[in-house]
Amino acid sequence: GLARSRLKTSPLRGADEEDVALSAVVTFREKIAAGQLADVENSRQLAAWLAVVVTHKVIDRFRREQAVKAGDPPGRMATAGW
């Protein structure tokens, strides 16, 4: 799916597209429960929103892996809330 295609073009090693996709679904559920997706009115907008979330999660995962490689402790880097 989308997570796999995003990860395929990234320099991540061993990244699991299922983890990224699951994380995106969790974010979606949290946003729905908080009433933060009222402006998503159709499936096209939802697909676009999910694509952005998945892309940001792949970027965040890459940054965390790079931070670990650089010797920064896990969890130190702040994420954008995606």
Side-chain angles (χ1 to χ4, degrees):
L2 179 61
R4 180 178 298 130
S5 69
R6 295 286 191 251
L7 289 169
K8 187 181 266 187
T9 60
S10 79
L12 290 177
R13 304 275 191 258
D16 187 358
E17 63 268 8
E18 289 181 19
D19 289 342
V20 172
L22 181 59
S23 181
V25 169
V26 169
T27 297
F28 171 71
R29 292 185 62 177
E30 290 170 349
K31 298 291 184 182
I32 287 288
Q36 297 176 351
L37 291 178
D39 58 334
V40 175
E41 298 175 352
N42 57 49
S43 60
R44 183 179 294 162
Q45 289 176 341
L46 177 58
W49 182 85
L50 286 170
V52 169
V53 170
V54 167
T55 300
H56 282 272
K57 289 193 174 288
V58 169
I59 291 167
D60 288 346
R61 187 175 183 130
F62 172 73
R63 288 179 179 161
R64 280 193 304 273
E65 286 190 7
Q66 292 303 305
V68 169
K69 288 179 185 178
D72 291 337
R76 180 174 167 211
M77 188 192 85
T79 62
W82 295 101

